[in-house]
Amino acid sequence: MDFTNKLGTLDSTIFIVYVIGLLCLALWVSRNEKKEGANTEDYFLASKSLPWWAIGASLIAANISAEQIIGMSGSGYAIGLAIASYEWMAAITLVLVGKYMLPIFLENKIFTMPQYLEQRFDNKVKTTMAIFWLAVYTFVNLTAVLWLGGMAIETVAGVDWMFGMIFLAVFSVAYSLYGGLKAVAFTDILQVVLLVFGGLLLSYLALDAVADGQGVLAGFGILTDTMPEHFDMILSPENDHYMSLPGISVLIGGMWVMNFSYWGFNQYIIQRALAAKDIKEAQKGIAFAAYLKLLMPLIVVLPGIAAVILYPTLTTPDQAYPSMMAMLPVGIKGLVFAALVAAIVSSLASMTNSISTIFTMDIYSRFKPNKSQRHYVHIGRIAALVSLCIALVVAQPLLGKFDQAFQYIQEFTGFFTPGIVVIFVMGMFWKRATSMGALSAALGSAVFSLVLKFAWPELPFMDRVGLVFLLCLALCYVVSILGKPNTTDSSVSLEQVSFATTKPFNVAALGVVIILTALYATWW
């Protein structure tokens, strides 16, 4: 079946109006930038002036990209509602991050996550993780968003996927490169409104189509009656997709590791909160984002489930969401297409801004200190452009052969996230953790993951993430105990970058974490 359905005149007009409107809004937001160029705090942290509603909207806009909308909808088509575990558990994770971890980051006035690691450990840990994040953001995140976005544009608008990717890259640069994070964050408000409205509208129309015009409740009832297995939240070992979402261990094991890595220690996510006016605004923004996450399964997963009935002969699951757009009436299709592109370009802008921040503040400034603020901002813009060009070149070779890009991204990042979470958790909760312990966890995460993947191939990747987390936790502990205690390389004290020594409650919290992970380890 050919799902290509080119946009009509009205749809194209609506989309063009959206593009022009977004560019005008970005220029208006950036109008107060100094003629000689913004300083680094203005450009990378929006002058630390973001209100809670901008933070929350920008967090969701950065998160809900092509990999989420297209990839998770594809997983909904193949797996069902169980994939929504990522979204609902993310809401809980956001609240915990805002309560316990965000205050430390804000109190130390950092620009980047590697900068925090330098304050807590030393420059070796900072540089190692900065290089790692630059590689992952460029070769995994940017490439995935561009590839899935190009594929969606080809399906909906009939434009070749390569031209679609180039358009997305140019569009994101056009509105974000000059204004930096401020332009990204405030335009994200428009993006999220359009995204939520367009997504809910598509879900409504999809359910109504399933019921042949009898309404959304009837459509939902047909879905649950026809495909009850698609509404199982806990998959049994007999399920074909158990390897992707391994039963109860999803709720008590590896998914927590993945969520804390993404929402707590991920630069292009947490950077919005770092740009808050103060801690209260940041925490309110985090809470607002958590509320919006509860809506995401209705927007991204439900259309994929409905597509099983409406389009049962798709070549790949990732065609589910773009194919659903073919059923939309003229005018509405242009609006929903604009919402999809809004999500894609917002994520591209967020990722490139974070790449430029990490490269400039953690790598370049070390080799070229004492340069002007304007110089660093200029270097950041160049870094953003270079990363996009690299992603354009490697997107198709890396992702073209995968059916479910969302699951690919999760499994690939799962090689490294256990070590990242161990580094931050041990650094925050245990004052004895050393830089060598942190580096051993980072290296051990990749090594343990590779060994388990090939030596124990029947182990679901989510369980592998949980097991590798335990191994890295033990490795960091042993190396830190056997090694020489280290102090921070910066002028801040250990108490400023770690709350393990000043809040007795957190000792108990660490014990709870260890007990839960030990219980999880025995689940197998």
Side-chain angles (χ1 to χ4, degrees), residues 110-419:
I110 60 174
F111 279 75
T112 67
M113 291 294 98
Q115 186 179 349
Y116 168 79
L117 294 178
E118 181 182 36
Q119 293 179 354
R120 174 58 181 88
F121 295 109
D122 59 23
N123 185 65
K124 294 192 295 293
V125 178
K126 165 194 164 182
T127 304
T128 300
M129 297 310 299
I131 293 172
F132 161 77
W133 271 310
L134 287 175
V136 169
Y137 290 160
T138 301
F139 292 99
V140 178
N141 297 103
L142 273 182
T143 54
V145 174
L146 281 172
W147 169 250
L148 290 173
M151 207 172 70
I153 289 177
E154 182 177 62
T155 303
V156 176
V159 178
D160 183 76
W161 59 267
M162 176 54 77
F163 290 108
M165 290 201 305
I166 293 173
F167 164 75
L168 292 171
V170 172
F171 185 18
S172 68
V173 165
Y175 88 86
S176 67
L177 200 63
Y178 176 72
L181 183 62
K182 183 182 293 183
V184 173
F186 280 97
T187 52
D188 278 348
I189 299 167
L190 173 63
Q191 311 270 48
V192 165
V193 170
L194 194 59
L195 169 64
V196 172
F197 176 76
L200 290 176
L201 179 61
L202 182 60
S203 295
Y204 172 86
L205 293 173
L207 290 175
D208 191 56
V210 167
D212 197 22
Q214 299 302 308
V216 294
L217 294 180
F220 188 78
I222 291 173
L223 289 182
T224 56
D225 292 339
T226 306
M227 303 178 298
E229 71 283 353
H230 268 63
F231 291 86
D232 291 338
M233 292 301 298
I234 304 297
L235 303 185
S236 66
E238 293 75 29
N239 192 290
D240 292 339
H241 301 284
Y242 182 79
M243 291 291 288
S244 297
L245 293 169
I248 194 67
S249 61
V250 169
L251 303 179
I252 62 173
M255 190 173 286
W256 287 108
V257 179
M258 302 289 285
N259 269 307
F260 274 108
S261 175
Y262 183 88
W263 292 105
F265 316 126
N266 184 353
Q267 178 67 28
Y268 81 82
I269 292 296
I270 206 69
Q271 188 167 338
R272 280 109 186 90
L274 298 180
K277 294 178 181 178
D278 53 47
I279 181 61
K280 290 191 178 299
E281 287 294 301
Q283 289 177 327
K284 286 191 291 185
I286 289 278
F288 180 43
Y291 171 75
L292 291 176
K293 286 299 285 182
L294 299 177
L295 297 177
M296 289 304 111
L298 295 177
I299 294 173
V300 297
V301 179
L302 199 56
I305 298 175
V308 178
I309 290 180
L310 297 174
Y311 299 102
T313 59
L314 292 179
T315 305
T316 64
D318 281 343
Q319 289 181 329
Y321 196 91
S323 299
M324 292 291 293
M325 295 180 63
M327 61 177 278
L328 296 175
V330 174
I332 294 178
K333 182 190 296 183
L335 184 64
V336 176
F337 182 60
L340 177 61
V341 173
I344 297 168
V345 297
S346 174
S347 293
L348 288 175
S350 300
M351 291 170 191
T352 52
N353 185 264
S354 293
I355 288 170
S356 67
T357 306
I358 291 177
F359 177 81
T360 305
M361 305 306 295
D362 294 321
I363 304 294
Y364 183 82
S365 63
R366 181 170 179 81
F367 295 99
K368 295 287 186 179
N370 304 318
K371 294 289 186 178
S372 68
Q373 296 287 297
R374 181 180 181 182
H375 176 80
Y376 288 132
V377 170
H378 180 66
I379 293 298
R381 288 170 174 152
I382 293 175
L385 282 173
V386 170
S387 65
L388 267 176
C389 291
I390 293 173
L392 279 171
V393 172
V394 304
Q396 199 279 334
L398 286 180
L399 288 173
K401 59 182 179 293
F402 290 95
D403 287 339
Q404 291 186 56
F406 181 76
Q407 287 298 329
Y408 158 74
I409 295 164
Q410 296 303 317
E411 179 153 2
F412 183 87
T413 54
F415 279 86
F416 307 99
T417 49

Side-chain angles (χ1 to χ4, degrees), residues 24-35:
C24 291
L25 177 60
L27 291 174
W28 182 77
V29 169
S30 305
R31 70 193 186 285
N32 290 327
E33 299 293 347
K34 301 179 179 66
K35 292 182 180 180

